[in-house]
C-alpha cells in the first residue's frame, strides 16, 4: 500500500538544523496493522504526518498505491488525503457545537455527498463504532471513550484505504483504552490498514508489526509471532 524510501525530514532555523527523520525506509502492506513506538522527540509524529501527507519530506520518495507523492503540490496531496486517509487523534478534535451525527457527517459534506447517502452512511458508521444511541448528543455530553468512538467514526466515514492513529488511547483510562484498541483490531480484521503511534507496549501488541524509532531512525522492527499463523 505504501512505501517510504530514504525519507529525510529537516527543520531549519537561522542557527539550527534538526533532522527529524533520517533516511527512513518503511513498507506497509494492505490490511496490515503497524504500531510505531519510541521516546518523545524520536520522530514518531513527524513520520505519521509524512505518511498522512500533512508534511512533505525534505528528501526521499513516498509511494502511496504505487504513486510517488513526495513532491506533489499541497492541493493534489489534499485531494489524495481526503479520499484515502482517515485520521484519529489523541485529543479527539471534535467540534463542540456539532452533534455526534454532525461531527461524523462533516467530511461527507466537504466531499459534497448527497444528503440521503450521507445520512445512510453516518448511521452505518454509528452502528459500527457503537455510538448510535448518542447520535444527538454533543461531545461535551460524552465520556472520553465515547468521544474517541466518534473520532473513529469520523475517520471511517469516507471509507479510507488507510487509517492513521496518533496516540488514540493517550487521553483515556485503561478500560476505555482497551475498548478503543479492540475496536481498531476489529476494523483491521475487516480489512482496514492501520498505522498507529503509541507509547503503550500493551497496545502495541494489538498490531501485526511494531517499528521502533530512535533519533529519527528505524532501530528495530518486530513482527507478532501469530501474524503468519
Amino acid at each position: 500500500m505504501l512505501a517510504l524510501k530514504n525519507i529525510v525530514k529537516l527543520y531549519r532555523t537561522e542557527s539550527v538544523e534538526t533532522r527529524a527523520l533520517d533516511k527512513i525506509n518503511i513498507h506497509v502492506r494492505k490490511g496490515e496493522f503497524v504500531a510505531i513506538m519510541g521516546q518523545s522527540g524520536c520522530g514518531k509524529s513527524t513520520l505519521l504526518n509524512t505518511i498522512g501527507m500533512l508534511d512533505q519530506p525534505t528528501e526521499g520518495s513516498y509511494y502511496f498505491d504505487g504513486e510517488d507523492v513526495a513532491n506533489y503540490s499541497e492541493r493534489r496531496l489534499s485531494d489524495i488525503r481526503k479520499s484515502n486517509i482517515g485520521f484519529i487523534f489523541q485529543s479527539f478534535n471534535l467540534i463542540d457545537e456539532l452533534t455526534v451525527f454532525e461531527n461524523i457527517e462533516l467530511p461527507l459534506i466537504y466531499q459534497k455527498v448527497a444528503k440521503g447517502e450521507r445520512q445512510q452512511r453516518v448511521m452505518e458508521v454509528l452502528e459500527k463504532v457503537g455510538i448510535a444511541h448518542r447520535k444527538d448528543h454533543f461531545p461535551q455530553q460524552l465520556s472520553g471513550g465515547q468521544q474517541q468512538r466518534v473520532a473513529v467514526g469520523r475517520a471511517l466515514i469516507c471509507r479510507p484505504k488507510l487509517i492513521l492513529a496518533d496516540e488514540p488511547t493517550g487521553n483515556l483510562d485503561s478500560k476505555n483504552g482497551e475498548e478503543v484498541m479492540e475496536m481498531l483490531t476489529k476494523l483491521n480484521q475487516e480489512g482496514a490498514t492501520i498505522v498507529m503511534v503509541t507509547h503503550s507496549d500493551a497496545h502495541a501488541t494489538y498490531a501485526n508489526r511494531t517499528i521502533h524509532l530512535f533519533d529519527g531512525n528505524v532501530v528495530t522492527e518486530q513482527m507478532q509471532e501469530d501474524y503468519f499463523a
Side-chain angles (χ1 to χ4, degrees):
M1 167 168 278
L2 65 89
L4 281 69
K5 297 186 177 182
N6 295 316
I7 290 292
V8 174
K9 181 61 182 180
L10 302 176
Y11 293 103
R12 296 186 178 96
T13 65
E14 290 184 0
S15 57
V16 178
E17 178 178 279
T18 301
R19 187 173 287 253
L21 299 176
D22 187 10
K23 294 191 180 300
I24 294 284
N25 289 280
I26 291 174
H27 291 76
V28 177
R29 295 180 292 274
K30 182 178 179 180
E32 196 173 10
F33 188 168
V34 176
I36 299 172
M37 300 191 72
Q39 297 177 345
S40 295
C42 71
K44 300 187 302 297
S45 292
T46 301
L47 177 57
L48 202 70
N49 287 342
T50 300
I51 293 172
M53 304 179 201
L54 297 172
D55 209 352
Q56 288 183 281
T58 307
E59 300 175 15
S61 299
Y62 173 22
Y63 292 90
F64 186 86
D65 266 0
E67 192 174 358
D68 189 353
V69 301
N71 296 309
Y72 279 6
S73 68
E74 174 52 36
R75 182 173 181 177
R76 194 169 179 186
L77 289 174
S78 178
D79 289 340
I80 296 172
R81 189 167 58 236
K82 286 188 293 186
S83 301
N84 294 281
I85 302 176
F87 294 89
I88 304 169
F89 302 98
Q90 177 178 347
S91 56
F92 316 137
N93 287 5
L94 303 178
I95 299 174
D96 290 340
E97 294 76 21
L98 300 182
T99 65
V100 166
F101 187 101
E102 291 166 340
N103 265 282
I104 294 177
E105 180 187 32
L106 193 59
L108 297 181
I109 294 175
Y110 290 149
Q111 291 195 1
K112 299 180 180 179
V113 175
K115 184 177 180 179
E117 183 180 349
R118 291 202 310 267
Q119 292 178 334
Q120 179 181 347
R121 286 171 61 174
V122 172
M123 288 308 301
E124 289 173 355
V125 166
L126 284 166
E127 293 290 346
K128 181 183 285 287
V129 299
I131 202 72
H133 63 298
R134 299 283 190 178
K135 68 182 179 67
D136 296 320
H137 287 66
F138 292 91
Q140 296 307 312
Q141 296 175 302
L142 306 177
S143 69
Q146 290 171 334
Q147 289 187 59
Q148 193 60 296
R149 286 178 179 273
V150 179
V152 172
R154 183 185 55 196
L156 294 176
I157 195 63
C158 291
R159 299 169 179 165
K161 296 178 180 178
L162 174 66
I163 297 173
L164 301 181
D166 191 357
E167 295 284 0
T169 62
N171 283 339
L172 303 176
D173 60 30
S174 58
K175 179 178 182 295
N176 283 308
E178 292 301 322
E179 288 181 358
V180 168
M181 290 309 306
E182 288 169 5
M183 183 165 48
L184 291 176
T185 300
K186 183 177 180 182
L187 292 172
N188 176 246
Q189 291 170 345
E190 292 172 352
T193 305
I194 302 174
V195 178
M196 174 185 70
V197 163
T198 182
H199 278 101
S200 169
D201 290 321
H203 292 168
T205 62
Y206 284 83
N208 311 133
R209 179 163 54 107
T210 302
I211 296 171
H212 292 268
L213 297 185
F214 183 77
D215 286 350
N217 294 276
V218 174
V219 289
T220 61
E221 291 193 44
Q222 180 180 355
M223 193 78 70
Q224 290 295 338
E225 292 182 1
D226 60 350
Y227 181 49
F228 293 111

